[in-house]
Amino acid sequence: MLKLSRLTDYAAVVMAQIARHPEHSHAAGELAEAVQLPHPTVSKTLKMLVKAGLLESRRGAQGGYSLARPASRITAIDIITAIEGPVAMTECSLAEGDCNLAATCGVADNWQRVSLAVRALLDSVTLAHLADTSPIKLPVQLPIQSVTLAADTA
């Protein structure tokens, strides 16, 4: 089963909560209470999101966490990558991937196409979409046929 970690799910929930109220900074405790998650988990998630450049943190009486850029310019893949690392279906789907079977497996190019299509879809879903309570309208056809690999251009 392909599945995001709970921490990634929590990161999306916390980011969506901040995106719904971008006009002010949010304290970790306030966010934890609003989304009904343990404070230590929210604090850990917030630190990872700050490190990834998705959130800004300010200390002091007017301090707290806020989006580093508008919710419409933060994507699902940004959030996933901040917590999980690069998105790929298989090891050989990463540019820096290392696989002993790549030369003989016969499926590496197609896995790379699938990975690129998944990344393109995740890149098209913004934090603004996630924060909205109405359903996201996804494309009917994924762009897998139009994916060009570096090997295709050589």
Side-chain angles (χ1 to χ4, degrees):
M1 170 189 327
L2 292 175
K3 185 173 152 181
L4 297 175
S5 70
R6 283 188 181 155
L7 199 58
T8 301
D9 184 24
Y10 298 161
V13 169
V14 168
M15 291 285 290
Q17 180 66 23
I18 294 170
R20 287 185 198 104
H21 307 283
E23 63 280 353
H24 63 59
S25 293
H26 303 265
E30 165 208 331
L31 288 167
E33 187 176 322
V35 299
Q36 297 293 294
L37 290 171
H39 188 278
T41 303
V42 170
S43 291
K44 177 181 179 179
T45 304
L46 291 167
K47 287 176 187 169
M48 294 173 82
L49 293 166
V50 167
K51 184 177 180 184
L54 301 180
L55 292 178
E56 293 177 343
S57 171
R58 284 185 294 284
R59 296 184 185 269
Q62 300 299 319
Y65 294 90
S66 59
L67 299 178
R69 55 186 185 264
S72 62
R73 293 190 39 237
I74 297 172
T75 65
I77 202 164
D78 293 332
I79 298 167
I80 294 167
T81 301
I83 307 299
E84 306 275 348
V87 174
M89 300 302 293
T90 61
E91 186 66 31
C92 68
S93 299
L94 291 170
E96 67 274 2
D98 183 26
C99 176
N100 296 333
L101 299 176
T104 59
C105 75
V107 297
D109 282 351
N110 286 326
W111 272 129
Q112 288 175 0
R113 282 178 168 75
V114 171
S115 287
L116 287 170
V118 168
R119 286 194 296 264
L121 177 63
L122 292 171
D123 200 39
S124 72
V125 176
T126 67
L127 177 57
H129 292 126
L130 293 175
D132 192 349
T133 55
S134 59
I136 299 170
K137 291 183 176 34
L138 296 176
V140 175
Q141 182 179 7
L142 289 175
I144 194 166
Q145 277 70 26
S146 65
V147 170
T148 303
L149 301 176
D152 295 341
T153 59

